[in-house]
Structures are given as structure tokens and as C-alpha cells.
Amino acid sequence: MSSAPPQTALDAPPEAAAAEDHLAADDAAANAAAFSPVRHAHKFGGSSLADADRYRVAVGLLDDGANERIAVVSAMQGVTDALVALVDAQESGRDWKPGWSALRERHLAAALSLDPHRRHGVLEALEAEFVQLRDMLENMHSRDEKTPQAVPGLGEVWSSYLLHAALGGEAAGWARLDAREVLVAHVGEMGMAVNWQLSRKNLAEWRERHRAPNVVVTGFIARDEYGYAVTLGRNGSDYSAGIFANLFGADALTIWTDVDGVLSADPRLVPDAVCLPSMSYAEACELAYFGAKVLHPQTMAPVQKLGIPLRIRNTRNPQAPGTLISPSAQPGDAPVKGLSLVHDLAVLELVGNGMVGVPGAAERLFGALSAAGVSVIMISQGSSEHSICCVVRADQAEYGRKTVVAAFAGAMADGQAQHVQLTQDICVLAAVGDGMVGQPGVAARLFDGLAKARINLRAIAQGAGERNISVAIAARDATRALRAAHSAFWLSPQCISIGVIGPGKVGRALLAQLAAAQPRFQRETRPQHRLDLRLRALADSRRMHLAPRALAFDAHALDAESEPLDLDRFAEHVRAEHIPHALIVDCSGSEAVAARYPEWLAAGIHVVTPSKHAGAGPLERYEAIRDAARHGGQFRYEATVGAGLPVIQTLRSLLDTGDELTEVEGILSGTLAWLFNRYDGRTPFSQLVREAHELGYTEPDPRDDLSGTDVARKLVILAREAGRPLSLEQIEVESLVPEQLREVSKDEFFRRLDELDAPLQQRFNAARAAGLSLRYLARLDRDGRASVGVVTPQPGHAALHGALTDNLIQFRTRRYADNPLVVQGPGAGPDVTAAGVFGDLLTIAQTLGARA
């Protein structure tokens, strides 16, 4: 029979059973003294029993060396849903017979495969079971109203027949226990509760009749105090496993599933989630409550009372050790063991000035919600008592709001309470770990990680036990928040979504440097030192390639696959919801791209650039960029002045430590440095320009270097960094290009290049007569005057002692008044410029928590 016959009375009334809903520790101790063999309990989930082959795998896993074994089984994968569908079909008048036939054929096929010689009678037993199911469905409306409750648990009964046969049945020392013969449960305040006294008594009587050392037990099902079949709720087979591990006095319980153990976060949302080697009971209970699918929230109680260790393991990867759950877990590198999300919630908030200092407001609020059957997930109240908010299920939110409005109608009429506010589309992110207890800074670490990912917190709650911190956030931010929190506790590599615009010389050099560094970042064994840089978007002036996961660090990706450039889509793609941090590198030198910086920064996208358009462009746009960076993403531009030299970093350090800039002077162009270091009056200047162009030291059109505009832009950037609102138009710029050559074509310019020679030769001769040399310098004096042009530095000036292409910047400050601070080194070339960009990128990564 597949369901126990109704009884009018049991050995104890429901009231007595409820009073004894605790685990009898004394009885367990007596059992332990009476029996000395090693006794292991195992539970197999539906995915581990999907077909006959999986049952055979389970047989092998049960051969674990224990003297006595208890195997608790779920239904075959998908069977419980199919049984529920049969009941729904019958109740709605639809044809249920095809579904019944499919289930029957599936189980009979498995029976023939596992018991081909029919030695264990499993085929006949299942045939009888399906005849009874058919009878139950056909006569459902005429039977007792409890009948539909018995159907969903039949899959476990059928599964127990199959595993029992696969193990060799009674002849091999295995008995089969239908849990409804033993387990008595009823609906309690917190869900299904076990009558432990009756269940222990029933099991003792059953064991007197069945002396086999090993037992196959049906999970999920039980009977109530009146003998009716009941189920323990979804995932109740885990609960059954904990119950029977306790009832049998098992030394250990293994739950076999299709994952390697308990993971630090949902791997579908956090690809870098790790399997936790160990957890405490308390940690597991918290994670189970907050939605960790691998555990049922009630599973822990029965094993926790007796201190039975529980291990989660993977039937498809049995070599993996899994996760051990025991009274105390080994401490890990991070105080947080796991992170979980609870979806489909809402925030309900009661606000009232009249509640301040008035006792009973919270009691009235939560009493009303409890009476209305509204489940409260989380509670938060400010110390001012001006407002109380709680998180409730979304499907109960509006009903809860009306309930609270009704409960406080009088207070609202009197002006003591102002309003009841409801915010929908909420998720709760929970951080769980025993390592949080008594350790300062854990909450700060969580909130800092969320802040860096620009996650706004709607409510915060932390229990006095310090094992859990929960935050309510907007549902749209849930995935990004989970990734950010996971990275904040070093459970995964620090991950940054990157978009690169402008794969020219500098862009290609940067991609090559990133490609070379990435293996080193990924090999790092210390999680806090790993860095996960994902190139997810690449663009030039016309095209872009957006990758769902990541691109190779290679500019040829644009040639392989591309679409027309759309900067809005580009930025939206880089700022991926599943990756907490986003960064755009602009190597394009485009005014149109620089104009987008304020909106990107405001959206939390970090921006790195070697382009001078942002720093030296219109003052209004520059101020908008700086303002957005103060409240949004970080803006770094070290490579705009001096390529890879720490020019801006040095100036910033001086100013941040309280120094005051009085003067800047230096060589800010590697091209012009090379030209004037080589110019000795004997070789015509035009010949040197041609030589520099052939060596790649100049821009494609040398006038871009010779005009002095690029140097002037760098001086503007330095002045603005020092707090001086200088614009390009305010700088005296000396162009080395004669006026008659400024508007001609590039080809004509090269033909007439010798027209540069006479004016410079004349100036060189005059300087030489005075014992001086020519250099092209930028200068910002203490009065704010700025100039760029050819000068004759006095002997001993630092500009006279640089290498051929060196940039040289000297800062004169209040501290460095007599002997200026000099930054000198190669200031041009794709590799050193790309290195400056790369350095900015790593600096941002370090502020986000990485330690690369």
C-alpha cells in the first residue's frame, strides 16, 4: 500500500506530541551506549537518482566501510513535479492519463534494468503502486479530502523500491522502510514538526521486526497524528535525512547532490564562487534560510542536536571532498563564508514623529502583520524611533501595507504617524560567517565594496550574534551587489569590465602589456592579490566589438567581428550588471569621446586616458569631469604629461601634503627634446625634422609637434592640477612653423621644410655667441603667466642635461624653493605611454580592493 490507512487515534494526542517536539538526548545517549558499530546515513537527491545508471552509482557510493548504513532517497528527478501535475490535471478536469503512463513506463524501465531477473519483486511492486495511483486519481473527488496530499510523496516510495533492488534487497542485508510507518509529523508554527517520542517508539518497534543492518528509507513523506499521509515540504527529503540520521543515531550524514558542496555564492551569478571546505551548523542554517539551494533550512536541527557531522558531496564528482558541516568550522581567509540573495521582496516602512519614545509602536506593527499572516524577512529601525521598516515578501506587500494602515489609522488621524510607505522590487543580500563574530571592520568591508559598485542600501540589519549582516537593495542591483560583496571579501578575483577605445599605437601597446600580465594575475595563489581584468569591448573611430564574456587582448578582434560604433551601447555594455566594476580606457584622442567622460564617470564607470582633450579642453567640461569624478567613477590621466613618468602623481603628492606650487618649467615634448638636443647649428633643423619623422619620433604631420600646441596642453593640465584655472588661449605659444606653412598640405609642407632653417639658425648663432643653447620649454611662473617656446637656459639648468628624448619637469614649491624637484625620463613612445595608462588602471584596481 502506498498510503497508511486513516486511524482515529494514536498513542498520544497532538497536544502532547507538540509539547514533546524536541530531540531526546537521553534516548540518543542510551542508543549510543547500546550499539557500537559505525553507522552512516546517506541521502540521495533527485538528480542523483535520475535513471538506472545513477542508482548504480549510488550503490557504489554506499559502500563506504560502515557497519550499518541508512540510505534516504528522493524521487527520481522530475517525478514530484509530474505527480503534482497529475493532481492539478484531475482537479481541473484535464486528461491525466498520458502523464500517468509516462511515469509508469519510466519506473518500470528502470526496474527491469536494475532487477532484470525479477529476483526482488520490484517490477510487481511498482505495477501495484501505479494501479493504486490510478485508482486514487479516478476516485479523487469521492475520496477523503486528504487524498491529494498523499500523491506528491509517492515518487519517494517508488524510488526506495528501485534502490533497494539495486542494492540486492533483503538477501544483501538491506531492509526497506516506508517512512509513513514510523515518522509522525504535524504542521507547527515554524513548518512541519516531528513528534519525536512517537517516531522513536515506532522505529524501535519496526527494528524489532526488521533485523537487517542496512535500511533504504523514503524521504519527504510522513504521517500525521491521525494516520494521514503528509509531506515535509519542498526539499523535505533533506529534512528526512536529518531526522532519520538522528533517529538511527548515525555517526555521520552525507547528502549527495549535483554540486561539489556549499558554494560561497550562486555560481550562476558569481562564476568565481568557491566551494567551502567546512562550515559550522550556525553558518549553514543562516545560508539555508537566505536561499542557499543546496540545503533545506530545517535539515540542520535534527543533526545539530546530536552533533552529527553532515557533508555535502557530488555524486558526479565523488572524488571532491565536499563541504563538511559540523559544530564548528575551520576559520578561512575571509570572515564571511557565504553570500546569498533573497528575491521578490518589498520594504514596508512606518514613519511617525509621534512614535519617538513611545513604547508599543513596534509591537503593534509586527503584531498586526503576524495576525494577517504576513511574513517578515528582516527588520530595521533607527535609534531615533522616527521610523520602523521591515522587509516582506512581494506577494504580501500590498496586503501588509493595508494591514499597517488599518492598525495605525487612529495614530495617523491624530498626526502621531505620518504615512506607511511601500517600496517594491527589493532583494536582500546576506553575508554569513562565524568569522564575523567579534571582528571589527567586517561591516565596513561589505559596505565599502557595495559603495564602490555604486549600490544604494535601503535598509541594514545585523543580529547581536554578529554572524549575519543583511542589506536590502534594489532588485536591479542584485547581481552587481553580489559580485561586489564577493570580491570585497576576497572570495573571488577582483573583477573589472574593461572597454578600450582607440587601438592605435598606444592602444595596441597597452593590449600587449595587459596580455602579458594577465597570466601572472591569474596564477596568484592568494585570492586578495588576484586581479581579473576582462576586456569586454573594443572600438575605433567607426567600429566596435562587444563580447558577452571577454575578448583576447588583441586589436585584431575588431577585424574579426564588429558593428558600427555606438558610444551609448559601448558604455552600457562595459558597465555590466554581473561585474561590479567598469572601466573605459580612451586612447583615441577624440574630442567626441572626451565629451562623454562626465556622464560615464557619473554612472560609476572609471576612465583612464593618455589623451589631453579632457584635461586641456574647455574649462567648463574639465570642471564637469572633476565634479563627476568626485561623486562617481575615478578619472586618471597620468600618461597625458610625460607618458609613463610620475609627473601628475608627484605634483599631486606635493599638494596633498600641504606644499604650494610656485613655478613649473620643463621640456614636455620628447620630439622637441630630441630635435634641440641634436641641433648644433651644423646640421639644418629641417634635416633633423625629416630624420625624426623617419624614426617615428614625430606625429604623421610634424606640425602637430612643431606648433607647440601639444606642449601647451600639457602645461594647462599641470596648471589645473595645481588649482589654477588656466585655458589654452591664455598661454603664449611660440610655433616653430612659419605662418606661410601652417595651412598648406602636408606634402607641400615637407617640400618647403627648409624654410624653418634660417630663423632658427639665426637664433642659434645668437645664443652660441652668448655661450648658451636653445631649448623648447614650457613655463608657468608664480604670477600665473604661462608660456611655451624656444628659450636660452642659463648654464647648469637641468634642461641642458637630459638624454635625447627625455621629458624633464621641474617643480619649484615652497619646500623646494631654491633647489627644484625634477622628474626626468623618457616621455614619448607607445610603450612608455601605455605603461603609464596601465599604471593608472592598476591604481584604480588597488583602490577597489585588489592587491596586484
Side-chain angles (χ1 to χ4, degrees):
M1 296 290 289
S2 60
S3 61
Q7 297 179 7
T8 56
L10 290 173
D11 300 301
E15 293 79 5
E20 292 159 358
D21 266 358
H22 58 82
L23 305 180
D26 292 338
D27 288 350
N31 287 341
F35 299 102
S36 58
V38 176
R39 186 178 293 119
H40 289 174
H42 297 258
K43 181 264 176 179
F44 294 93
S47 61
S48 300
L49 302 173
D51 53 37
D53 288 339
R54 303 312 304 168
Y55 280 90
R56 294 187 183 95
V57 170
V59 169
L61 296 175
L62 284 167
D63 186 14
D64 63 354
N67 304 100
E68 298 182 4
R69 291 159 290 171
I70 303 100
V72 180
V73 295
S74 295
M76 293 177 76
Q77 190 171 35
V79 167
T80 302
D81 288 339
L83 287 167
V84 172
L86 291 182
V87 174
D88 290 343
Q90 170 65 323
E91 290 183 334
S92 62
R94 291 180 283 111
D95 187 5
W96 50 264
K97 291 184 176 62
W100 175 86
S101 296
L103 281 175
R104 176 179 175 275
E105 292 304 318
R106 180 181 176 189
H107 284 81
L108 295 183
L112 284 172
S113 177
L114 296 171
D115 185 19
H117 303 295
R118 302 192 179 187
R119 292 173 181 167
H120 306 294
V122 63
L123 193 69
E124 292 75 16
L126 288 175
E127 283 280 23
E129 287 284 337
F130 276 95
V131 168
Q132 185 177 26
L133 172 59
R134 183 181 59 195
D135 180 60
M136 292 171 68
L137 291 169
E138 288 176 342
N139 300 285
M140 183 175 294
H141 296 299
S142 61
R143 288 184 176 231
D144 188 282
E145 63 179 7
K146 296 281 188 179
T147 300
Q149 298 180 14
V151 173
L154 296 181
E156 278 69 17
V157 177
W158 306 337
S159 184
S160 68
Y161 280 117
L162 293 171
L163 184 60
H164 186 248
L167 287 163
E170 298 281 353
W174 284 89
R176 192 187 73 84
L177 170 59
D178 186 328
R180 293 168 300 185
E181 299 177 50
V182 169
L183 186 59
V184 182
H186 66 276
V187 178
E189 291 185 1
M190 307 298 289
M192 294 302 295
V194 176
N195 185 322
W196 289 98
Q197 182 178 4
L198 277 177
S199 298
R200 287 189 188 284
K201 177 178 178 294
N202 293 341
L203 179 61
E205 294 173 354
W206 183 91
R207 296 189 74 179
E208 284 295 324
R209 301 192 302 272
H210 300 83
R211 294 295 184 175
N214 307 307
V215 186
V216 175
V217 185
T218 57
F220 187 47
I221 55 176
R223 61 173 169 138
D224 65 14
E225 289 86 349
Y226 303 102
Y228 289 105
V230 294
T231 59
L232 300 181
R234 279 295 189 182
N235 297 315
S237 291
D238 284 356
Y239 189 22
S240 296
I243 292 168
F244 280 103
N246 180 283
L247 289 174
F248 277 96
D251 301 296
L253 168 63
T254 300
I255 293 182
W256 292 96
T257 181
D258 55 4
V259 294
D260 285 344
V262 181
L263 300 181
S264 54
D266 187 339
R268 295 169 299 179
L269 304 178
V270 184
D272 303 309
V274 297
C275 183
L276 303 173
S278 68
M279 303 181 71
S280 69
Y281 290 136
E283 289 172 329
C285 287
E286 291 278 4
L287 277 178
Y289 174 77
F290 281 98
K293 302 300 183 186
V294 76
L295 282 172
H296 188 279
Q298 290 180 296
T299 303
M300 305 309 306
V303 297
Q304 187 173 359
K305 288 292 185 180
L306 296 186
I308 300 170
L310 185 159
R311 191 178 289 275
I312 309 295
R313 297 183 65 187
N314 189 349
T315 55
R316 299 179 185 274
N317 185 22
Q319 295 78 21
T323 300
L324 176 64
I325 302 172
S326 57
S328 60
Q330 294 295 321
D333 293 332
V336 168
K337 276 291 181 65
L339 297 153
S340 192
L341 287 170
V342 183
H343 297 272
D344 301 321
L345 303 174
V347 170
L348 183 63
E349 182 179 22
L350 171 65
V351 178
N353 296 328
M355 298 191 303
V356 178
V358 178
E363 180 185 7
R364 195 192 318 177
L365 170 67
F366 297 119
L369 292 173
S370 175
V374 176
S375 177
V376 175
I377 307 297
M378 173 180 148
I379 301 170
S380 179
Q381 180 178 12
S383 58
S384 70
E385 302 177 306
H386 174 261
S387 69
I388 307 173
C389 80
C390 59
V391 178
V392 299
R393 295 205 324 254
D395 59 355
Q396 295 183 323
E398 181 56 30
Y399 180 54
R401 186 192 69 81
K402 292 178 180 178
T403 298
V404 175
V405 168
F408 285 85
M412 295 176 74
D414 295 337
Q416 295 175 317
Q418 274 65 58
H419 64 271
V420 179
Q421 182 173 321
L422 186 63
T423 304
Q424 295 280 10
D425 298 322
I426 293 293
C427 277
V428 165
L429 170 66
V432 173
D434 287 344
M436 299 162 62
V437 178
Q439 180 168 325
V442 176
R445 204 152 139 198
L446 173 64
F447 299 149
D448 183 57
L450 295 175
K452 286 171 180 172
R454 297 179 59 77
I455 305 298
N456 184 41
L457 308 184
R458 307 300 180 93
I460 302 168
Q462 180 175 17
E466 300 184 83
R467 189 170 283 108
N468 176 300
I469 301 175
S470 300
V471 295
I473 57 177
R476 65 177 179 275
D477 296 329
T479 301
R480 196 166 75 255
L482 185 63
R483 278 302 297 255
H486 201 266
S487 296
F489 289 104
W490 301 342
L491 295 176
S492 69
Q494 191 69 30
C495 186
I496 304 177
S497 173
I498 297 175
V500 174
I501 303 175
K505 291 181 179 179
V506 173
R508 288 172 186 269
L510 173 65
L511 293 175
Q513 292 175 14
L514 288 168
Q518 188 76 337
R520 173 170 58 86
F521 295 149
Q522 294 174 342
R523 283 196 307 269
E524 177 57 60
T525 57
R526 295 162 294 179
Q528 67 269 30
H529 287 253
R530 292 189 209 133
L531 186 58
D532 187 359
L533 303 178
R534 298 188 183 181
L535 178 65
R536 301 183 64 255
L538 186 64
D540 60 18
S541 60
R542 298 176 294 105
R543 305 169 296 167
M544 66 181 183
H545 184 180
L546 309 181
R549 295 187 62 82
L551 290 165
F553 292 105
D554 189 341
H556 292 298
L558 273 175
D559 300 326
E561 184 178 345
S562 64
E563 58 184 287
L565 176 63
D566 180 335
L567 289 175
D568 290 329
R569 284 193 58 232
F570 185 92
E572 181 181 354
H573 182 80
V574 172
R575 191 177 180 272
E577 287 298 317
H578 66 285
I579 301 179
H581 309 296
L583 185 148
I584 291 177
V585 180
D586 173 27
C587 299
S588 69
S590 164
E591 279 280 357
V593 174
R596 296 298 189 102
Y597 292 0
E599 64 184 81
W600 292 346
L601 292 164
I605 301 173
H606 310 295
V607 177
V608 175
T609 185
S611 170
K612 291 168 279 294
H613 287 293
L619 186 59
E620 181 180 0
R621 183 176 69 193
Y622 172 79
E623 291 174 344
I625 290 171
R626 296 306 295 263
D627 183 64
R630 277 190 288 271
H631 305 288
Q634 298 181 50
F635 177 50
R636 298 196 65 88
Y637 46 96
E638 181 67 73
T640 58
V641 181
L645 296 177
V647 177
I648 293 174
Q649 176 184 332
T650 300
L651 176 57
R652 191 72 263 155
S653 179
L654 292 171
L655 299 174
D656 289 345
T657 56
D659 206 349
E660 181 182 349
L661 182 72
T662 57
E663 184 180 295
V664 177
E665 188 176 47
I667 298 172
L668 299 180
S669 167
T671 302
L672 294 171
W674 188 88
L675 289 170
F676 281 95
N677 277 323
R678 290 286 309 277
Y679 187 44
D680 58 4
R682 295 191 297 270
T683 303
F685 193 79
S686 59
Q687 183 176 329
L688 293 176
V689 171
R690 287 191 173 92
E691 186 178 344
H693 184 263
E694 290 170 1
L695 292 171
Y697 290 165
T698 73
E699 295 294 329
D701 187 337
R703 286 174 293 186
D704 292 340
D705 300 296
L706 299 174
S707 68
T709 303
D710 185 66
V711 175
R713 288 195 180 101
K714 296 176 182 179
L715 189 59
V716 168
I717 292 171
L718 292 176
R720 290 176 175 177
E721 192 69 27
R724 302 186 186 184
L726 189 67
S727 293
L728 195 61
E729 299 78 19
Q730 297 172 280
I731 300 180
E732 295 179 26
V733 180
E734 178 183 0
S735 174
L736 300 181
V737 182
E739 188 171 351
Q740 66 272 17
L741 297 183
R742 292 175 188 173
E743 301 299 328
V744 301
S745 69
K746 185 172 71 171
D747 291 339
E748 184 176 350
F749 170 73
F750 272 107
R751 287 196 301 271
R752 299 170 59 185
L753 195 57
D754 55 2
E755 294 180 28
L756 276 66
D757 294 337
L760 280 170
Q761 186 69 46
Q762 184 178 1
R763 295 180 69 172
F764 177 84
N765 292 339
R768 191 172 200 177
L772 303 173
S773 299
L774 299 180
R775 292 294 185 271
Y776 195 94
L777 296 185
R779 188 167 188 268
L780 176 67
D781 66 20
R782 63 180 66 245
D783 297 322
R785 291 189 298 268
S787 61
V788 168
V790 178
V791 298
T792 53
Q794 294 299 310
H797 193 287
L800 300 174
H801 305 290
L804 281 179
T805 60
D806 274 3
N807 274 204
L808 184 148
I809 302 95
Q810 60 179 24
F811 297 112
R812 202 175 292 276
T813 69
R814 180 167 44 79
R815 294 177 188 155
Y816 294 90
D818 300 324
N819 188 16
L821 176 64
V822 177
V823 179
Q824 180 178 351
D831 289 333
V832 292
T833 303
V837 174
F838 197 176
D840 277 346
L841 194 157
L842 292 180
T843 299
I844 290 176
Q846 288 165 0
T847 67
L848 299 176
R851 298 188 177 184

